[in-house]
Amino acid sequence: MKFRNASIIAVVSYIAYTNAAALKGTSCPPVDSKGVQRLVTKNKLMKNLKDLETIANWNGGNRAFNTPGYTASLNYIKSQLDTSKTWKSWTQDLEVPYQKPKVTFVVEGKAYTIGHFQFSMWAGEDDFNVEGEVVEGPPGPASCTPEGYTGLNVTGKIVFVDGANCPGGVWQSPWVHYGDVVAPRLRAAHSAGALAVVVHLNEKYEAGLVGFKQMPDRKDFSPSGYMAYTDGLHLLSLIRRTGRPVLAKFENSWFSGKSLTQNLFSESIGGDPTNVIMIGAHLDSIRNGPGINDNGSGSSLLIALFHALQSYCPKNRIRFAWWGAEELGLYGSNHYVSNLSKQEADDILVYLNFDMIGHGYFGVFDGNSTSKPEDPYSLTSPPGSSVIEKLFVDYLVGSGVPITKEPLVANTDIAGFVELNKAVGGMHSGSIGVDFCYHRKCDDYTNINETHIEIIGKATAHVVSVLSNEGAKIIPKALSHSVNEDGRVIPTKVWDKKPSISEKVDVTVGDVLGI
Ligand SMILES: *[C@@H]1O[C@H](CO)[C@@H](O)[C@H](O)[C@H]1NC(C)=O
Ligand SMILES: *[C@@H]1O[C@H](CO)[C@@H](O)[C@H](O)[C@H]1NC(C)=O
Ligand SMILES: *[C@@H]1O[C@H](CO)[C@@H](O)[C@H](O)[C@H]1NC(C)=O
Ligand SMILES: *[C@@H]1O[C@H](CO)[C@@H](O)[C@H](O)[C@H]1NC(C)=O
Ligand SMILES: CC(=O)N[C@H]1CO[C@H](CO)[C@@H](O)[C@@H]1O
Ligand SMILES: [Zn+2]
């Protein structure tokens, strides 16, 4: 009986859907969870990702900020948005500063490829140009402490150290934390009087170094870099075989510039403009690869939802945002938030974020999160966030899907909206430790589990439908506080250490070594 009713409803809503399309928005049904879910399918989600991958392949292998691949990704989505008569779309320009290091390491006339630990807090301040003898450092973990250098005179020399994990260091295969392996070595070599230090990447660190924990202090940061495993073996055999000092020239200089990029938006023309449901994902990739899980997967979900929602007239207005320059430090979303007028800020009811939803676990952002002093990236969830969390959790639990509580962190596009005290939520399926291809070239189409992304897609379809229909009743509205002399809202800093260009971007072996 129940089943029979359900199928009748399904037929009715299908008719409503075709009518709505025919009427081109003159009259159409409110968003219906089941109907939207039906239209968010794995085929559609995967098709968008295939297209984004093709775009990366045609544009030098990535879709990063300030590259043709980003522009092509933006145009690809925009051309789809522009087909709608019931939604309006626009872009927002922003100027983003960036820096690029140029590192050279030449040993007896042979140039070795060196990765720069480019994203320390002091990026840009460490131009150097040194010349000296290259010597082998203490073996293995001994180079993690100053004591390891006992009996070894490295004063004025470039020390080449093994990159094995340090005692107590965390190694989430295949990743190893930068802070755990690199920072102690830089400190130790520096205190032993070395002129410079080059870390020989361990062959086990297939994916490289990542993370921004325990950054070295400026005073510990002597000229430094890392070398790939095979290159390092070559250098070692050279040092060992020549019975005389081996000289190297080690140089680094930074190039700084500014470049324009865009955020892309689309919103329903209909729907209550004073209770806007915002849904965002970042569109840029890192430079090392096509960025299909990170974060093409979130962008794909937004495209699929956009198409699915064309059949409905949202009760509360729905606005999608594809952010630019996230990977450089959340520039796109922060710019958007800080350019809102008081009215525009007040009109936003909630913000949902989707990035890296292609495989791993089913992480739902914690709506009751509190910021912890020991974790500078942790955030306190604004009021209403637990309502959003519950919508996701109830849906997923009801579908028999296991859930992981995902802490609310400042290094996502959510941060700007937390600073407006807006209810936030969304899903995330894990990065380091779950996604072997995180920030690597292999983050391509085949890195996506289509069952996984579909489950998250349908859960989101459901939550967006509920929020579009009842959001104004179930979410407390956060009104903005003060405005500056230009009439723009002043976000309340929840975190004074927001990722900057130097901190946000992970240290990977990628850019330089191309893996
Ligand atoms: C270490 O080497 C430097 C440079 O070769 C030299 O000036 C210094 O005296 C040496 N220190 C010791 C303790 O041998
Ligand atoms: C800031 O917002 C105003 C409208 O409120 C808009 O006219 C202007 O173009 C925006 N500026 C940027 C840089 O996006
Ligand atoms: C979040 O906190 C609220 C209020 O303290 C509580 O009612 C709710 O059960 C909590 N939700 C979760 C998912 O922990
Ligand atoms: C794909 O994801 C689903 C849902 O998380 C999981 O059950 C399945 O094992 C995954 N498949 C692979 C090949 O990992
Ligand atoms: C930093 C990064 O590369 N990308 C983001 C992709 O999305 C997840 C979830 O929002 C973020 O944690 C990552 O920072
Ligand atoms: Zn990323």
Side-chain angles (χ1 to χ4, degrees), residues 1-13:
M1 189 64 185
K2 227 171 172 198
F3 178 73
R4 201 182 144 77
N5 275 349
S7 52
I8 290 167
I9 291 165
V11 170
V12 169
S13 69

Side-chain angles (χ1 to χ4, degrees), residues 212 282 286 293-295 326-327 330 353-356 365 406 409 411-414 427-429 431 438-439 504 506:
F212 8 41
H282 79 76
I286 42 105
N293 188 30
D294 181 11
N295 275 311
E326 188 263 10
E327 297 284 8
L330 314 178
N353 199 60
F354 297 91
D355 278 323
M356 305 190 65
F365 283 117
E406 186 71 20
V409 288
N411 52 333
T412 70
D413 288 315
I414 276 185
M427 287 189 70
H428 179 39
S429 49
S431 56
Y438 179 68
H439 282 194
K504 173 61 178 63
D506 304 337

Side-chain angles (χ1 to χ4, degrees), residues 159-232:
V159 55
F160 188 58
V161 293
D162 186 294
N165 202 358
C166 290
V170 175
W171 180 30
Q172 292 169 286
S173 175
W175 294 101
V176 65
H177 275 281
Y178 174 62
D180 291 339
V181 172
V182 174
R185 286 196 161 89
L186 300 190
R187 282 186 203 115
H190 189 67
S191 73
L195 176 66
V197 54
V198 175
V199 177
H200 184 191
L201 287 187
N202 196 291
E203 64 183 323
K204 286 192 293 181
Y205 307 159
E206 299 158 85
L209 302 165
V210 72
F212 8 41
K213 290 194 321 179
Q214 305 162 25
M215 301 301 288
D217 293 337
R218 176 148 179 71
K219 61 179 168 34
D220 303 325
F221 199 69
S222 47
S224 59
Y226 57 84
M227 193 180 289
Y229 182 65
T230 320
D231 284 0

Side-chain angles (χ1 to χ4, degrees), residues 376 378-379 410 419 492-500 503:
S378 61
L379 295 178
E419 295 191 334
T492 309
K493 291 283 167 235
V494 287
W495 192 48
D496 54 6
K497 249 185 104 253
K498 227 192 236 178
S500 64
E503 260 188 291

Side-chain angles (χ1 to χ4, degrees), residues 118-133:
Q118 61 204 89
F119 301 116
S120 83
M121 304 249 252
W122 309 279
E125 291 179 33
D126 65 334
D127 284 5
F128 55 79
N129 185 357
V130 297
E131 221 171 329
E133 186 186 345

